[in-house]
Amino acid sequence: MVDRDALPAPEHGLIVTHFLTVRDVAASRTFYADILGGEVVLPENPAIVKVANTWIIMNPGGGPTPDKPGITLRPPEPGDPVSAFLNVRVADIAAFHADAVAKGASFVTEPIDRKAEIRCYLRDPDNYLIEVGQATGMLEGIFADPPASESPRE
């Protein structure tokens, strides 16, 4: 029996979840439960892992269906451009990073101080990008420098 309160099923209004098309449901489910401290709510079809105040929903890819005609779902391939990513905010990035590395997580870089925050990125088993950040300077009104192509904030 599934606990309705653990599912992303609001009685009023709406909630936002994040859906991932994955190659190996078990590997992805384990990653989000272990590395991000999630609770497996449903093991498959679809897999649902509650992470903090949201849910990650995972299923294998596939072709068009009546509710998404002309749309094929597939996980990213190495080298694919990134257009969206999961953003995780933590209270202590050094502790999170050390714990995640000990559990086998692969980070793109060590945490880097970006003035407004300390952040780093990691990849999940399907190569999805996840930003992990801790607010630091932004709490004091200090923000990151804008990209070179942008004008400064007014």
Side-chain angles (χ1 to χ4, degrees), residues 122-140:
L122 73 147
R123 298 272 186 179
D124 83 351
D126 286 288
N127 210 34
Y128 284 106
L129 189 64
I130 303 168
E131 177 184 301
V132 180
Q134 175 186 343
T136 53
M138 72 174 61
L139 300 174
E140 307 295 325

Side-chain angles (χ1 to χ4, degrees), residues 71-92:
I71 299 171
T72 298
L73 299 179
R74 68 173 176 79
E77 295 296 329
D80 279 353
V82 176
S83 61
F85 55 87
L86 191 63
N87 186 299
V88 177
R89 311 312 292 170
V90 297
D92 183 341

Side-chain angles (χ1 to χ4, degrees), residues 44-148:
E44 59 184 29
N45 202 26
I48 301 175
V49 178
K50 184 174 185 183
V51 178
N53 59 348
T54 193
W55 290 263
I56 308 292
I57 301 172
M58 297 159 269
N59 239 356
T65 58
D67 57 336
K68 58 175 183 47
I71 299 171
T72 298
L73 299 179
R74 68 173 176 79
E77 295 296 329
D80 279 353
V82 176
S83 61
F85 55 87
L86 191 63
N87 186 299
V88 177
R89 311 312 292 170
V90 297
D92 183 341
I93 197 164
F96 177 88
H97 183 267
D99 183 60
V101 167
K103 292 176 178 173
S106 176
F107 284 82
V108 176
T109 67
E110 300 286 318
I112 296 174
D113 190 338
R114 304 267 303 148
K115 293 182 170 175
E117 65 182 341
I118 301 170
R119 74 176 188 215
C120 55
Y121 292 83
L122 73 147
R123 298 272 186 179
D124 83 351
D126 286 288
N127 210 34
Y128 284 106
L129 189 64
I130 303 168
E131 177 184 301
V132 180
Q134 175 186 343
T136 53
M138 72 174 61
L139 300 174
E140 307 295 325
I142 300 167
F143 299 97
D145 296 329

Side-chain angles (χ1 to χ4, degrees), residues 146-154:
S149 62
E150 289 184 17
S151 59
R153 293 182 182 166
E154 296 179 3

